[in-house]
């Protein structure tokens, strides 16, 4: 909310300047985001001299002027009668927003280019004079800022009013708050006294059909008004607060809204059918053309103000165009009401329409302030637009305000704040915010003022006490409490350890958005995959972030693109994050922690010590093997062929725990790469960490170190190319011969000495006895048996 | 005939040859030439027997002394050569860069999140978690934000359905934890949160850490104490803190904590908007309605809660000026931390 300091000062005798006041308000709970000059919008306007004036070739009343700010010349089309060569005046360049609300841009005016406008005193917010340009005396130097030359300065506080403090959404409300938090005195406001009586009831009536939505509805009738422009001072005040002047009647309603926080609406009384008001729910099929020129369909969830036949306003939000006050209006019905805040908010959201009124109604206006607003506005309208106020006023008040009583125990205050304030001090602080306090037996019996909807519980009063006393004056302590800390959960440890291991393996951690583009389904060919079933956001920021991810791969691919396109072609990255799988019949999805990674480009950074080489599948597998080893994963198998539509079957593996697939790893298919504008090979992997967690061996048992030396024997086999080396290795490792401790695959060879279509595998066997050194003959004998077992199992020859 | 003079000359010659030997081979040649079986000095020593008796002792003593001297010189020269050899290996250039053993790094958000969590873990808080796709009830209603409450405007929300949304803060974890566990409690809840916002200071996803302490005798003073300790641990001992009243529907009284600007130290700069203070977190005493929603008796239990934005703290720590960098994941960015 924009608060002109000088308006505020009319109601509270502040000793603080605008900056000091801003600081004080901020420290007591109303954050002031800044203090600025209301004329700041006009800062680009400078003093220029009219160098030449020529007639406009296509318009009789316009002139084409060359003006100079002392540095350069501008061409401006101008229609002011007093423009003449040598005149010093004000020039607004494109981008300036004038007092009138007009935003200047470079324009063609009837075929002639105009690089800005020359301004009248009115357009600069100086005085009401509209015809003719502002003129400066000769001493004023060219190029100076006009706001400086004229001393245009009006300090305005930008206050961020929190949603609980609807009472501060007005000048008077802020004056009250300022008085409470400084040592200043508030000037009391009382409305003018206007004629009372019964006459109004002969002319009109108000019926509230929905007392649960409209607690109070008041109105006055003003007859014979002259609608025209408001006085300049009123216009200026509205402008300081960011509102645009419209006409004297509407401006008064806005002025009172700003001053007292009471929203008002003026109807053209003669256009109200039946000359009466009904507050009711809209009926299905009803529509209204609102003041912003939009026709809006209504429904029963929306409260309207209706005349005898149709809605004439959306209650509390915006009036209708058809009954609006215009230049022709003679008689006015002025509305001042109190609507149910949540009803206004619901309607406002339903219609996607909000206004200064709805903003205040949602946050709660003062039910006891309805009449103040009405009376002030009626008298101002009469003052500015003439006419007669019809004696009497409507005041339907089906749910009168009942003051709340809050029992505050001083003990609770000291429990909360750890400070023992005497009761007198508590009462004193609460009185600053107009809370009435009486002493009970033990408690203080407190009655907050009608405009403080936020004060309902003792804790709310404790907050008032704390902030008025000063948060910084309250004591500081270190909690004394029994120790409740627990060790981290195993899964959290696993996540932490997984991150450590992967970075040690050279991978960088990335974090991608949890929402992705739904196009990932077709990108990865997942049309028939359960992962194509995603949760969609109802209101995404863009199509790129419209569904919740069911796999981390699309995010990693996006990261790869960002890097590869921006000079980082070598990538080793991983992400740990949740994926979201919709569950049948459950409102919330299943959220699982996944780990995924991506490797592409060169295996090592460029170095004088190593020949460059591209990453290959064995790098991927090596990373995963080391990861599993370091994490203590047991029983994870790499089965050829991942079965993932986006991976090359020949260059991918499924990661399995027994029969259950818990992940995959492999190279992306070429068509996927092509769609991404990337070139391969690119390797990815993904693992369900919650499943992997079950494979982590947490219990480790010590194995005694060998006391006797081992003996090694190598076995070179020639086998058909199709025979997977892993099968031979796995078979050899499964063999149960005494003293056979370990088997390693130490070489795979093709070429000289090995026939085409075959390959040579060299296995190294480690033999060791626990209790003695094995003799050579014993080992030879064993190794002979091992060799025979392998030769009888596989189609293999000795090399 | 051997005399003293010729012996001295022999010594001189031998010493100079030893000195000039460039390698082991040259040194060995010099040794053979003078001290070898047929070496010049060896020959002289052998011939002493034939000398006249009056010369024998003089020449003999001198020759033996020279032999010792030469042997010592040889030894010294050998060591000298060895030293020289060790100091320089052919083909080795110690100025070459090492062979790379590249390590990866954790995302800066993870790093700072871990650091933040550790501070609270040391103060006896434990970690709690909850779902990122959340029910409206846990994200708003149970936190004293009924439907149609204007406080909902404070958090632009992504909805999936009317009742299901992406959590806008980590506060729903408070509710879920309190529903499950009996007081006293001391938890922190780190995690991702989501809001419909995107510009230089907002990304639609970011990270928060929520904290909650509930006990019989917890006060506003404890809240100030815990958060002051936290601020000094993360931003340094000289950091000053300031508490301002604020509004969160789920706390009463509510507070915002500012720290003295980490850039200018409180003098006023662009980052702190010339105020010398930076807003760092929101907190407050747990609202009685929140306790009622989870079935805790607000007459018996008191608590405080706080929530802080990990991105904001990370940006301040590292001087990062655009929050979107965190989620672009450009390696040139990530490798700086
Ligand atoms: Zn600063």
């Amino acid at each position: 909310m924009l608060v002109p300091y000088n308006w505020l000062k009319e109601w509270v005798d502040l000793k603080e300047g605008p900056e000091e006041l801003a600081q004080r308000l901020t420290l007591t709970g109303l954050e002031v985001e800044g203090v600025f000059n209301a004329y700041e919008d006009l800062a680009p306007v400078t003093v220029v001299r009219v160098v030449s004036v020529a007639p406009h070739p296509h318009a009789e009343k316009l002139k084409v002027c060359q003006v100079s700010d002392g540095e350069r010349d501008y061409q401006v089309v101008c229609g002011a009668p007093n423009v003449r060569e040598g005149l010093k005046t004000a020039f607004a360049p494109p981008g300036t927003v004038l007092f009138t609300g007009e935003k200047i841009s470079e324009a063609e005016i009837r075929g002639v280019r105009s690089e800005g406008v020359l301004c009248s005193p009115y357009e600069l917010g100086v005085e009401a004079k509209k015809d003719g340009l502002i003129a400066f005396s000769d001493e004023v130097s060219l190029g100076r800022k006009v706001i400086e030359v004229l001393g245009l300065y009006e300090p305005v506080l930008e206050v961020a009013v929190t949603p609980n403090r609807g009472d501060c959404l007005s000048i008077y409300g802020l004056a009250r708050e300022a008085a409470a938090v400084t040592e200043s005195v508030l000037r009391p406001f009382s409305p003018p006294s206007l004629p009372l009586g019964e006459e109004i009831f002969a002319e009109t009536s108000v019926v509230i059909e929905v007392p649960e939505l409209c607690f109070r509805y008041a109105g006055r009738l003003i007859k014979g008004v002259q609608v025209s422009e408001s006085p300049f001072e009123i216009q200026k005040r509205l402008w300081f607060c960011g509102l645009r002047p419209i006409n004297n009647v509407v401006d008064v309603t806005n002025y009172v809204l700003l001053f007292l926080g009471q929203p008002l609406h003026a109807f053209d009384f003669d256009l109200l059918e039946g000359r009466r008001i009904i507050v009711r729910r809209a009926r299905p099929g009803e529509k209204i053309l609102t003041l912003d020129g939009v026709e809006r369909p209504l429904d029963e969830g929306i409260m309207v103000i209706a005349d005898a036949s149709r809605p004439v306003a959306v209650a509390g939000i915006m009036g209708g165009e058809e009954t609006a006050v215009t230049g022709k209006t003679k008689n006015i019905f002025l509305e001042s009401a109190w609507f149910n805040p949540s009803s206004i908010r619901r309607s406002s959201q339903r219609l996607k329409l909000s206004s200064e009124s709805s903003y205040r109604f949602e946050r709660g206006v003062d039910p006891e302030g309805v009449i103040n607003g009405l009376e002030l506005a009626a008298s101002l309208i009469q003052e500015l637009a003439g006419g007669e106020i019809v004696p009497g006023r409507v005041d339907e008040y089906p749910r009168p305000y009942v003051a709340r009583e809050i029992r505050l125990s001083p003990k609770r205050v000291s429990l909360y704040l750890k400070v023992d304030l005497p009761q007198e001090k508590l009462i004193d602080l609460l009185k600053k915010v107009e809370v009435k306090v009486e002493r009970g037996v033990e408690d203080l019996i407190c009655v907050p003022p009608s405009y403080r909807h936020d004060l309902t519980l003792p804790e709310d009063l404790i907050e008032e006490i704390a902030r008025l006393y000063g948060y910084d004056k309250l004591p500081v302590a270190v909690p004394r409490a029994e120790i409740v800390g627990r060790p981290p959960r195993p899964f959290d440890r696993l996540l932490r350890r997984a991150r450590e291991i992967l970075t040690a393996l050279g991978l960088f951690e990335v974090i991608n958005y949890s929402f992705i583009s739904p196009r990932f389904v077709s990108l990865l060919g997942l049309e028939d995959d359960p992962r194509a079933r995603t949760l969609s956001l109802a209101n995404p920021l863009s199509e790129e972030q419209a569904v919740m991810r069911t796999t981390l791969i699309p995010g990693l691919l996006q990261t790869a693109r960002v890097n590869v396109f921006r000079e980082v072609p070598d990538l080793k990255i991983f992400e740990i994050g949740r994926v979201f799988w919709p569950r049948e019949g459950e409102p919330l999805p299943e959220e699982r922690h996944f780990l995924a990674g991506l490797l592409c480009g060169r295996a090592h950074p460029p170095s004088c010590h190593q020949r460059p080489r591209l990453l290959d599948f064995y790098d991927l597998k090596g990373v995963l093997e080391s990861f599993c080893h370091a994490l203590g994963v047991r029983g994870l198998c790499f089965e050829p062929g991942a079965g993932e539509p986006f991976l090359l079957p020949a260059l991918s593996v499924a990661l399995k725990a027994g029969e259950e697939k818990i992940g995959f790893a492999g190279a992306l298919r070429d068509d996927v790469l092509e769609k991404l504008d990337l070139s391969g090979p690119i390797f990815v992997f993904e693992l369900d960490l919650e499943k992997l967690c079950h494979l982590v061996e947490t219990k480790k048992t010590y194995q005694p170190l060998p006391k006797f030396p081992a003996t090694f024997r190598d076995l070179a086999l020639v086998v058909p190319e199709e025979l997977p080396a892993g099968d031979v290795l796995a078979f050899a490792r499964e063999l149960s011969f005494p003293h056979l401790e370990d088997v390693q695959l130490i070489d795979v060879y093709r070429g000289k000495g090995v026939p085409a279509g075959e390959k040579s595998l060299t296995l190294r066997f480690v033999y060791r006895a626990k209790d003695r050194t094995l003799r050579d003959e014993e080992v030879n004998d064993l190794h002979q048996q091992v060799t025979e077992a392998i030769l009888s199992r596989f189609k293999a020859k000795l090399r | 005939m051997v005399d003293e003079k010729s012996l001295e000359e022999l010594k001189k010659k031998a010493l100079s040859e030893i000195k000039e030997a460039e390698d082991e081979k040259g040194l060995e040649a010099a040794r053979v030439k003078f001290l070898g079986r047929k070496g010049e000095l060896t020959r002289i020593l052998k011939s002493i027997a034939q000398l006249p008796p009056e010369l024998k002792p003089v020449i003999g003593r001198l020759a033996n002394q020279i032999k010792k001297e030469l042997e010592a010189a040889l030894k010294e020269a050998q060591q000298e050569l060895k030293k020289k050899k060790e100091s320089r290996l052919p083909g080795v250039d110690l100025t070459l860069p090492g062979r790379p053993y590249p390590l990866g790094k954790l995302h800066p958000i993870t790093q700072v999140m871990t650091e933040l969590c550790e501070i609270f873990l040391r103060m006896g808080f434990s970690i709690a978690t909850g779902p990122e796709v959340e029910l409206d009830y846990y994200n708003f209603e149970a936190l004293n934000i009924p439907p149609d409450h204007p406080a909902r405007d404070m958090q632009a929300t992504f909805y999936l359905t009317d009742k299901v949304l992406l959590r806008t803060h980590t506060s729903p974890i408070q509710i879920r934890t309190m529903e499950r566990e009996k007081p006293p409690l001391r938890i922190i809840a780190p995690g991702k949160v989501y809001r419909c916002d995107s510009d230089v200071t907002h990304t639609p996803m970011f990270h928060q850490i929520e904290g909650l302490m509930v006990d019989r005798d917890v006060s506003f003073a404890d809240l100030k104490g815990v958060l002051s300790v936290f601020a000094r641990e993360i931003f340094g001992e000289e950091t000053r803190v300031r508490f301002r009243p604020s509004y969160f529907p789920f706390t009463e009284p509510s507070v915002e904590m500012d720290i003295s600007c980490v850039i200018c130290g409180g003098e006023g700069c662009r980052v702190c908007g010339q105020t010398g203070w930076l807003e760092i977190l929101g907190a407050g005493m747990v609202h009685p309605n929140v306790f009622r929603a989870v079935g805790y008796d607000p007459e018996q239990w008191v608590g405080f809660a706080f929530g802080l934005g990990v991105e904001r703290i990370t940006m301040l720590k590292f001087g990062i000026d655009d929050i979107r960098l965190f989620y672009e994941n450009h390696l040139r960015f990530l490798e700086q931390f």
Side-chain angles (χ1 to χ4, degrees):
Chain A
M1 171 160 169
L2 302 180
V3 185
Y5 174 77
N6 288 315
W7 194 355
L8 201 62
K9 216 175 159 176
E10 283 177 13
W11 293 95
V12 55
D13 66 332
L14 292 167
K15 284 165 281 297
E16 292 78 3
E19 295 285 351
E20 286 164 285
L21 177 64
Q23 170 118 28
R24 187 72 198 131
L25 288 173
T26 298
L27 286 176
T28 50
L30 279 182
E31 195 180 341
V32 180
E33 289 178 335
V35 179
F36 63 94
N37 181 4
Y39 286 94
E40 201 54 47
D41 277 355
L42 297 168
V45 182
T46 54
V47 176
V48 294
R49 196 168 62 85
V50 179
V51 180
S52 68
V53 179
H56 191 290
H58 312 296
E60 219 174 282
K61 287 189 174 162
L62 296 179
K63 308 254 173 35
V64 181
C65 313
Q66 303 297 323
V67 302
S68 167
D69 64 4
E71 297 240 322
R72 59 159 283 200
D73 287 3
Y74 303 84
Q75 175 170 297
V76 184
V77 175
C78 172
N82 67 335
V83 65
R84 60 177 165 81
E85 215 176 285
L87 178 74
K88 274 194 175 173
T89 186
F91 167 71
T96 317
V97 180
L98 297 179
F99 181 76
T100 53
E102 184 190 359
K103 186 173 182 186
I104 306 305
S105 54
E106 229 181 88
E108 286 276 305
I109 298 170
R110 307 192 71 180
V112 175
R113 198 164 56 88
S114 183
E115 295 175 283
V117 300
L118 301 179
C119 309
S120 67
Y122 181 74
E123 285 169 317
L124 296 173
V126 182
E127 51 173 317
K129 199 170 160 312
K130 288 181 180 173
D131 52 341
L133 303 179
I134 191 163
F136 296 113
S137 66
D138 277 345
E139 301 87 76
V140 178
S141 39
L142 294 183
R144 279 191 66 193
K145 283 184 171 183
V146 166
I147 56 170
E148 283 170 11
V149 172
L150 295 175
L152 296 178
Y153 176 69
E154 176 65 36
V156 174
L157 278 63
E158 188 171 0
V159 186
V161 178
T162 50
N164 57 325
R165 294 299 305 272
D167 64 295
C168 287
L169 291 171
S170 67
I171 301 297
Y172 194 74
L174 276 163
R176 207 159 44 201
E177 174 72 10
V181 301
T182 62
E183 298 298 317
S184 325
V185 179
L186 181 73
R187 239 187 83 196
F189 165 80
S190 45
S193 48
L194 299 181
L196 294 172
E198 298 295 315
E199 278 93 328
I200 189 168
F201 303 107
E203 305 247 8
T204 188
S205 69
V206 170
V207 174
I208 299 175
E209 287 186 0
V210 281
E212 73 281 10
L213 302 184
C214 174
F215 293 8
R216 187 171 200 181
Y217 195 103
R220 272 209 181 256
L221 204 53
I222 306 152
K223 294 182 108 178
V225 298
Q226 195 86 60
V227 178
S228 63
E229 200 170 288
S230 299
F232 186 64
E233 284 306 309
I234 297 270
Q235 293 192 27
K236 222 162 67 172
R237 284 227 159 135
L238 296 180
W239 185 69
F240 289 159
C241 295
L243 295 188
R244 186 102 54 92
I246 295 170
N247 61 44
N248 51 7
V249 174
V250 175
D251 288 355
V252 164
T253 61
N254 281 332
Y255 184 86
V256 174
L257 170 130
L258 290 174
F259 174 50
L260 292 177
Q262 173 63 48
L264 299 153
H265 185 66
F267 295 96
D268 185 324
F269 185 57
D270 300 318
L271 299 175
L272 292 178
E273 273 183 47
R275 295 176 168 250
R276 59 198 187 97
I277 292 287
I278 300 158
V279 185
R280 60 166 167 86
R281 290 173 185 276
R283 298 182 183 124
E286 278 186 330
K287 288 187 195 129
I288 186 168
L289 179 66
T290 41
L291 277 168
D292 55 358
V294 181
E295 190 178 67
R296 298 173 185 275
L298 301 170
D299 61 55
E300 283 175 297
I302 297 166
M303 178 180 18
V304 295
I305 310 304
D307 61 14
S309 64
R310 62 191 165 150
V312 291
V314 182
I317 305 179
M318 196 175 277
E321 183 76 48
E322 290 174 19
T323 52
V325 173
T326 67
K328 287 184 224 146
T329 303
K330 288 279 163 275
N331 302 319
I332 284 168
F333 181 82
L334 186 63
E335 161 199 299
S336 180
W338 198 93
F339 298 115
N340 183 327
S342 45
S343 158
I344 297 300
R345 187 175 164 85
R346 265 198 306 277
S347 302
S348 156
Q349 294 207 316
R350 186 92 54 105
L351 294 169
K352 296 200 166 47
L353 175 67
S354 60
S355 63
E356 295 283 339
S357 296
S358 68
Y359 191 79
R360 285 171 177 77
F361 277 128
E362 282 181 20
R363 285 157 179 75
V365 303
D366 181 4
E368 298 286 84
V370 168
I371 298 302
N372 286 356
L374 179 72
E375 303 295 72
L376 176 63
S379 81
L380 279 173
I381 288 174
Q382 190 188 34
E383 189 184 323
L384 305 184
E388 284 291 324
I389 295 171
V390 175
R393 68 176 175 233
V394 178
D395 187 7
E396 292 297 314
Y397 201 176
R399 301 258 170 112
Y401 172 76
V402 182
R404 286 176 301 274
E405 223 181 68
I406 305 169
R407 303 184 84 86
L408 177 67
S409 133
K411 261 196 237 147
R412 195 148 178 88
V413 177
S414 60
L415 172 74
Y416 256 63
L417 305 180
K418 281 284 175 295
V419 60
D420 279 316
L421 297 174
Q423 291 208 4
E424 298 70 47
K425 180 72 180 168
L426 298 180
I427 294 169
D428 199 42
L429 290 171
L430 289 170
K431 276 191 174 157
K432 279 176 183 269
V433 286
E434 297 183 22
V435 175
K436 295 199 182 77
V437 189
E438 275 177 42
R439 285 176 205 242
V441 183
E442 275 186 30
D443 297 348
L444 297 176
I445 298 156
C446 307
V447 179
S450 60
Y451 50 84
R452 287 297 300 268
H453 302 286
D454 59 322
L455 304 182
T456 59
L457 299 173
E459 288 75 15
D460 300 326
L461 297 177
I462 294 174
E463 179 173 69
E464 289 304 297
I465 290 163
R467 77 183 183 96
L468 295 168
Y469 180 74
Y471 274 19
D472 278 343
K473 278 191 246 161
L474 291 170
V476 180
V478 178
R480 285 172 296 117
E482 76 183 80
I483 299 204
V484 290
R486 286 167 303 197
R489 294 170 312 165
F491 189 67
D492 288 335
R493 276 192 196 170
L494 174 98
L495 292 182
R496 189 166 182 156
R497 185 87 187 104
R499 286 191 167 97
E500 284 168 6
I501 296 167
L502 289 163
T503 52
L505 287 168
L507 278 70
F508 276 81
E509 187 191 23
V510 302
I511 301 178
N512 285 296
Y513 289 123
S514 303
F515 19 62
I516 55 177
S517 161
R519 285 197 318 274
F520 84 96
V521 173
S522 60
L523 172 72
L524 298 181
L526 292 175
E527 289 83 355
D528 300 325
D529 192 281
R531 283 166 290 185
R533 280 191 57 225
T534 54
L535 289 168
S536 302
L537 299 185
N539 54 336
L541 282 178
S542 78
E543 192 58 14
E544 292 304 304
Q545 304 181 336
V547 300
M548 299 305 287
R549 63 187 179 185
T550 51
T551 154
L552 304 181
I553 299 296
L556 290 179
L557 294 176
Q558 179 53 32
T559 303
R561 279 166 57 92
V562 165
N563 280 279
V564 171
F565 297 163
R566 280 167 59 194
E567 300 181 321
V568 183
D570 305 323
L571 276 182
K572 293 179 187 172
I573 53 173
F574 75 95
E575 176 168 12
I576 289 176
R578 300 184 193 188
V579 298
F580 304 83
W581 294 340
R583 280 188 287 206
E584 213 53 65
E586 297 262 352
L588 296 186
E590 182 175 4
E591 297 184 12
R592 295 188 79 90
H593 283 83
F594 268 37
L595 158 67
L598 181 147
L599 309 175
C600 70
R602 285 170 294 193
H604 311 287
S607 161
C608 55
H609 305 294
Q610 276 155 304
R611 302 261 308 277
R613 78 171 171 82
L614 286 180
L615 286 160
D616 63 20
F617 177 80
Y618 304 110
D619 288 299
L620 171 68
K621 194 172 177 187
V623 163
L624 287 171
E625 282 170 344
S626 297
F627 171 71
C628 289
H629 179 73
L631 205 57
V633 171
R634 276 299 192 91
L636 184 70
C637 308
F638 294 66
E639 200 176 279
E644 296 292 341
F646 48 90
L647 296 183
L648 285 169
L651 215 51
S652 67
V653 289
L655 306 176
K656 285 186 144 180
E659 280 309 295
E660 192 181 24
K661 182 172 168 185
I662 67 169
F664 57 81
L668 288 175
R669 289 166 61 116
D670 291 346
D671 53 330
V672 177
L673 292 173
E674 226 166 84
K675 284 185 230 169
L676 291 164
D677 286 325
L678 292 171
S679 55
I682 291 182
F683 298 94
V684 294
F685 66 89
E686 185 169 57
L687 272 166
D688 183 332
L689 279 181
E690 290 173 40
K691 284 183 177 163
L692 190 76
C693 187
H694 301 305
L695 302 184
V696 173
E697 225 177 26
T698 46
K699 215 177 147 194
K700 288 174 184 161
T701 312
Y702 152 81
Q703 299 292 320
L705 301 183
K707 289 195 181 72
F708 297 92
T711 310
F712 300 87
R713 290 287 185 277
D714 288 356
L715 176 64
L717 296 167
V718 175
V719 299
E721 189 64 70
E722 318 80 74
L723 179 65
D727 289 4
V728 180
L729 186 61
F731 177 78
R733 283 184 171 161
E734 291 291 303
L735 288 173
S736 57
F737 283 100
H739 313 317
L740 175 53
E741 188 181 81
D742 191 20
V743 191
Q744 296 142 9
L745 179 65
I746 59 166
D747 190 35
V748 179
Y749 172 76
R750 298 172 183 85
K752 216 178 147 204
V754 178
E758 296 184 22
K759 63 189 170 189
S760 162
L761 307 177
T762 306
L763 299 173
R764 174 163 295 171
F765 294 82
V766 183
Y767 298 97
R768 191 201 308 270
K770 279 203 178 92
D771 51 351
R772 65 205 156 89
T773 305
L774 288 172
R775 284 175 292 114
D776 260 6
E777 308 84 76
E778 258 183 299
V779 174
N780 290 345
D781 193 39
L782 269 171
H783 191 61
Q784 184 60 37
Q785 293 176 43
V786 166
T787 307
E788 278 162 18
I790 290 175
L791 290 177
S792 65
R793 169 67 179 78
F794 296 103
K795 207 179 136 202
K797 294 175 295 228
L798 289 178
R799 184 169 156 217
Chain B
M1 244 347 252
V2 187
D3 57 17
E4 285 171 68
K5 200 177 155 207
S6 64
L7 267 175
E8 284 297 344
E9 266 165 31
L10 182 70
K11 174 183 153 190
K12 225 166 144 187
K13 197 168 98 188
L15 282 176
S16 104
E17 280 186 33
I18 287 168
K19 201 177 164 194
E20 274 158 33
E22 279 182 358
D23 49 19
E24 299 265 331
K25 233 164 99 189
L27 208 60
E28 177 60 12
R31 189 190 67 82
V32 172
K33 187 171 170 190
F34 298 100
L35 297 173
R37 247 171 2 116
K38 291 175 182 164
E40 285 176 39
L41 189 65
T42 317
R43 256 199 347 255
I44 290 168
L45 283 167
K46 277 181 187 161
S47 68
I48 286 175
Q50 284 123 49
L51 289 176
E54 69 274 17
L55 287 178
K56 260 190 206 169
V58 185
I59 300 294
R61 204 181 308 125
L62 185 61
N64 271 316
Q65 191 194 323
I66 291 173
K67 186 184 175 192
K68 273 184 194 141
E69 275 180 52
L70 291 187
E71 276 168 351
L74 269 171
K75 205 171 170 187
E76 196 184 332
Q78 248 163 2
Q79 262 159 3
E80 209 52 48
L81 271 178
K82 205 168 158 194
K83 255 190 213 163
K84 220 161 129 189
K85 199 168 144 193
E86 277 173 346
S87 72
R88 205 168 58 79
L89 287 173
V92 172
D93 178 352
L94 298 181
T95 64
L96 286 182
R99 188 168 283 122
Y101 281 80
L103 288 175
K105 284 183 171 179
L106 292 178
H107 196 282
I109 293 295
T110 307
Q111 292 183 34
V112 172
M113 185 106 117
T114 308
E115 192 183 340
L116 296 173
C117 285
E118 277 168 357
I119 294 171
F120 291 109
L121 292 176
R122 279 199 293 279
M123 294 193 241
F125 287 76
S126 325
I127 292 187
T129 57
E132 291 173 22
V133 178
E134 196 37 292
L135 295 173
D136 186 278
Y137 175 78
Y138 287 106
N139 196 74
F140 289 128
E141 281 187 56
L143 288 161
N144 198 31
I145 314 173
D148 309 318
H149 195 284
R152 292 197 175 205
D153 286 351
M154 295 165 88
Q155 303 178 355
T157 311
F158 283 115
Y159 284 93
L160 297 151
T161 67
D162 282 354
K163 289 280 160 229
V164 181
L165 45 77
L166 299 186
R167 69 180 178 203
T168 56
H169 45 187
T170 37
S171 312
I173 300 171
Q174 280 185 30
I175 304 295
R176 288 183 174 271
T177 307
M178 287 192 280
E179 276 187 350
R180 213 173 39 229
E181 292 174 33
K182 286 201 172 65
L185 270 184
R186 239 190 267 190
I187 56 155
I188 50 166
K192 288 180 177 139
V193 299
Y194 304 86
R195 292 189 197 171
C196 278
D197 253 337
S198 188
D199 58 39
V200 182
T201 48
H202 298 91
T203 43
M205 178 182 91
F206 55 101
H207 294 76
Q208 274 191 345
I209 296 177
E210 182 83 6
L212 172 71
M213 176 166 179
V214 180
D215 214 318
R216 291 185 191 278
D217 183 21
V218 180
S219 70
F220 196 77
D222 299 316
L223 175 155
K224 286 178 73 174
V226 165
L227 295 179
S228 305
V229 169
F230 158 76
R232 282 197 291 271
E233 283 217 24
I234 194 87
F235 290 109
E237 212 36 63
E238 68 289 354
T239 309
R240 283 167 295 125
V241 297
R242 156 176 115 167
F243 294 89
R244 281 184 291 113
S246 187
Y247 169 67
F248 306 106
F250 37 95
T251 52
E252 191 75 40
S254 299
V255 49
E256 248 164 321
M257 183 172 84
D258 298 338
I259 57 163
S260 51
C261 178
V262 294
I263 311 291
C264 63
E267 297 288 310
C269 71
R270 198 182 51 79
V271 173
C272 57
Q274 308 307 328
T275 61
W277 295 98
L278 295 166
E279 192 179 312
I280 212 75
L281 58 80
M285 303 301 291
V286 178
H287 198 288
N289 288 353
V290 173
F291 279 152
R292 285 186 197 108
V294 296
Y296 285 13
D297 179 0
E299 294 299 319
Q300 287 202 35
W301 298 100
V302 202
F304 69 81
F306 56 88
L308 49 94
V310 182
E311 275 76 359
R312 176 153 171 83
I313 290 173
T314 310
M315 289 169 85
L316 289 173
K317 267 183 89 84
F318 299 127
I320 298 166
D321 55 4
D322 185 345
I323 192 175
R324 292 169 294 198
L325 287 167
F326 289 123
Y327 302 109
E328 260 180 31
N329 296 302
H330 200 271
L331 257 284
R332 298 268 173 278
F333 175 73
L334 297 178
E335 65 192 3
Q336 294 180 31
F337 306 101

